[in-house]
Amino acid sequence: MQAQLIALDWGTSSLRAYKLGLAGVVLEQRALAWGIMHLPSEPRDIAGVRCGNGFELAFDAACGDWLDAEPGLPVIACGMVGSAQGWSEAAYRPTPVDVASLGQALHKVRSLRGVDVHIVPGVIEQVGLPNVMRGEETQVLGVLQGLGADMLIGLPGSHSKWVEVVEGRITHFDTFMTGEVFAVLSKHSILGRTQQPSERFQAEAFDRGVHVARSNDGQRGVLSTLFSARTLGLTGELAPDQQPDYLSGLLIGHELAGLPDSAKHKPIILVGAAPLCARYQRALALCGFAHVSLAQEAAERGLWQLAVAAGLTQPVLEA
């Protein structure tokens, strides 16, 4: 199958490159460690020019040979590559947004190869406290392909996002710094002093953490319950290798407590790394969320949809 598009999911710590064929079928894919905070630095020749720009070097490493083999392929990218610290800043678009509005707002940066890289803008919500995302909006739009119902989409991670979708548009989202807080507490607080890593998932301890977050004790807030990750160890109720999963369940439980009650009656779709999504799926079930499913290949599907909306490539016409 002939390639139609190069799609890049370019975040803080990694760069994923996809060569897509008709209807967004993945023909080839690569994963590189060249996120925007860790770019190559050794200069080399690109298109006959000596180059030391990290973004140009990473772009060439990701897909230079694809462009050599098939000149003229359009390129689209999402994620932190469009941030103020990225290759070129793509201004945020305010909610509500959909595929059409984001597809018409792509930001172009010209590479040394003479190829325009079309960067997807992030999304900002300014009702109440401001909230932003970059990259997640593309995953959400990829999930929505072929789905028309209102839903809630969860994207677990260092900064978990919960995105409300109404009639195919992103209307509202919340951010929870659950993953980053877990890492900081485990590595840099007294809670980590008594923890030991476990070779297996400690399900009972994780479930206990979720239940504590949802209990009367949990109503006093996460700052009150966090210390129990230490005291339950001191009193012998949690073994050292159970404490990390207890803390994980506690933080995820508090995160889910922040979701609106109406979310229990909506379909929920999770997008992200399978092991982390499995934790969230388990916690959601414990909290009474019944309609939960997982999505795959969300970023590449979203990038394809946005490229079609922007006219960079063509949809497959039904016979």
Side-chain angles (χ1 to χ4, degrees):
M1 183 185 294
Q2 186 176 2
Q4 304 291 315
L5 180 72
I6 292 175
L8 307 176
D9 181 6
W10 201 338
T12 302
S13 58
S14 65
L15 166 57
R16 295 185 181 275
Y18 304 92
K19 182 163 64 173
L20 304 181
L22 288 173
V25 173
V26 177
L27 305 178
E28 192 174 344
Q29 60 182 298
R30 295 168 178 167
L32 297 87
W34 302 130
I36 71 160
M37 300 303 290
H38 181 63
L39 294 166
S41 57
E42 185 174 347
R44 67 172 184 272
D45 291 342
I46 299 176
V49 177
R50 194 67 174 172
C51 176
N53 181 293
F55 289 101
E56 292 279 5
L57 294 170
F59 176 65
D60 191 67
C63 58
D65 58 334
W66 292 346
L67 291 167
D68 287 338
E70 300 182 72
L73 279 179
V75 180
I76 188 170
C78 71
M80 290 297 287
V81 67
S83 70
Q85 296 76 40
W87 193 351
S88 184
E89 187 171 7
Y92 290 113
R93 303 292 296 180
T95 54
V97 295
D98 57 12
V99 168
S101 60
L102 278 185
Q104 295 301 313
L106 302 185
H107 172 76
K108 289 193 295 186
V109 58
R110 177 62 64 94
S111 69
L112 275 178
R113 288 177 159 273
V115 175
D116 285 334
V117 179
H118 299 81
I119 300 177
V120 180
V123 175
I124 186 169
E125 183 175 357
Q126 292 181 290
V127 178
L129 294 174
N131 215 336
V132 297
M133 58 181 168
R134 283 195 187 274
E136 294 94 348
E137 75 294 321
T138 301
Q139 293 177 294
V140 169
L141 297 176
V143 170
L144 294 181
Q145 183 179 352
L147 300 176
D150 300 349
M151 65 186 68
L152 185 66
I153 298 177
L155 301 105
S158 294
H159 301 163
S160 298
K161 305 285 185 183
W162 289 92
V163 183
E164 294 182 21
V165 175
V166 177
E167 297 180 352
R169 299 188 303 169
I170 296 172
T171 58
H172 171 74
F173 60 97
D174 294 297
T175 302
F176 296 83
M177 293 181 62
T178 308
E180 184 170 351
V181 169
F182 175 82
V184 169
L185 291 173
S186 297
K187 296 175 183 177
H188 303 293
S189 84
I190 197 169
L191 300 184
R193 298 291 180 89
T194 55
Q195 290 183 5
Q196 290 181 2
S198 175
E199 294 181 356
R200 62 182 181 86
F201 174 54
Q202 299 286 345
E204 184 178 347
F206 178 84
D207 292 353
R208 183 173 186 175
V210 174
H211 286 306
V212 168
R214 306 289 291 189
S215 70
N216 289 335
D217 289 327
Q219 291 180 6
R220 292 197 295 271
V222 66
L223 293 179
S224 173
T225 58
L226 276 177
F227 200 55
S228 66
R230 175 172 173 80
T231 57
L232 289 172
L234 295 175
T235 57
E237 295 184 58
L238 282 178
D241 65 350
Q242 291 179 309
Q243 292 171 30
D245 284 319
Y246 171 81
L247 179 60
S248 173
L250 185 67
L251 290 171
I252 291 174
H254 276 291
E255 176 182 330
L256 299 184
L259 299 182
D261 291 336
S262 60
K264 290 187 176 181
H265 308 292
K266 290 183 178 180
I268 293 177
I269 300 178
L270 297 177
V271 182
L276 185 55
C277 283
R279 286 176 181 259
Y280 273 76
Q281 195 166 25
R282 184 181 185 94
L284 284 161
L286 291 172
C287 295
F289 295 84
H291 309 290
V292 182
S293 60
L294 306 179
Q296 305 293 328
E297 301 179 340
E300 51 266 48
R301 286 189 281 132
L303 285 164
W304 174 263
Q305 291 295 313
L306 288 164
V308 170
L312 299 179
T313 190
Q314 298 299 317
V316 175
L317 299 178
E318 297 183 0

